[in-house]
């Protein structure tokens, strides 16, 4: 097993492949150590994932609303007399 990604030979995969970038949420939540840690803190990993998914959906909806508001404000300023 190779711990330093710069010195890992191509034929020897790094056991912690996510060191090449940020791990995906699914990869983190599939990790048995993290699962044990969550459970020891009284956190249900499935409910935690549901919570994170809901946060992501709400943030995405908020960004879309903000973009729509920005577009509407720009359109109003361009259509107003003497606009931009």
């Amino acid at each position: 097993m190779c711990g330093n990604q710069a010195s890992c030979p191509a034929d020897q995969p790094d056991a912690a492949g996510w060191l090449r970038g940020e791990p995906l949420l699914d990869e983190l939540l599939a990790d048995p150590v993290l699962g044990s840690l969550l459970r020891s803190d009284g956190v249900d990993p499935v409910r935690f994932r549901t919570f994170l998914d809901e946060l992501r959906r709400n943030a995405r909806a908020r960004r879309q609303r903000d973009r729509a508001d920005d577009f509407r404000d720009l359109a109003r300023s361009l259509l107003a007399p003497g606009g931009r």
Side-chain angles (χ1 to χ4, degrees), residues 22-80:
E22 291 185 20
L24 300 174
L25 181 57
D26 288 334
E27 293 171 334
L28 288 172
L29 294 176
D31 180 67
V33 174
L34 182 59
S36 294
L37 178 64
L38 288 171
R39 284 186 293 281
S40 73
D41 285 340
V43 177
D44 177 351
V46 173
R47 291 184 68 196
F48 183 62
R49 175 57 193 250
T50 302
F51 168 74
L52 293 175
D53 288 341
E54 185 175 330
L55 282 178
R56 184 182 66 232
R57 281 191 302 275
N58 290 341
R60 184 177 295 142
R62 190 171 25 258
R63 283 192 306 272
Q64 289 173 345
R65 281 192 309 270
D66 290 347
R67 281 191 216 122
D69 290 344
D70 291 345
F71 180 76
R72 186 184 60 245
D73 293 344
L74 174 63
R76 284 182 180 159
S77 71
L78 292 174
L79 295 174

Side-chain angles (χ1 to χ4, degrees), residues 7-28:
S7 63
C8 290
D11 64 339
Q12 185 178 3
D14 189 349
W18 55 265
L19 289 175
R20 291 179 177 81
E22 291 185 20
L24 300 174
L25 181 57
D26 288 334
E27 293 171 334
L28 288 172

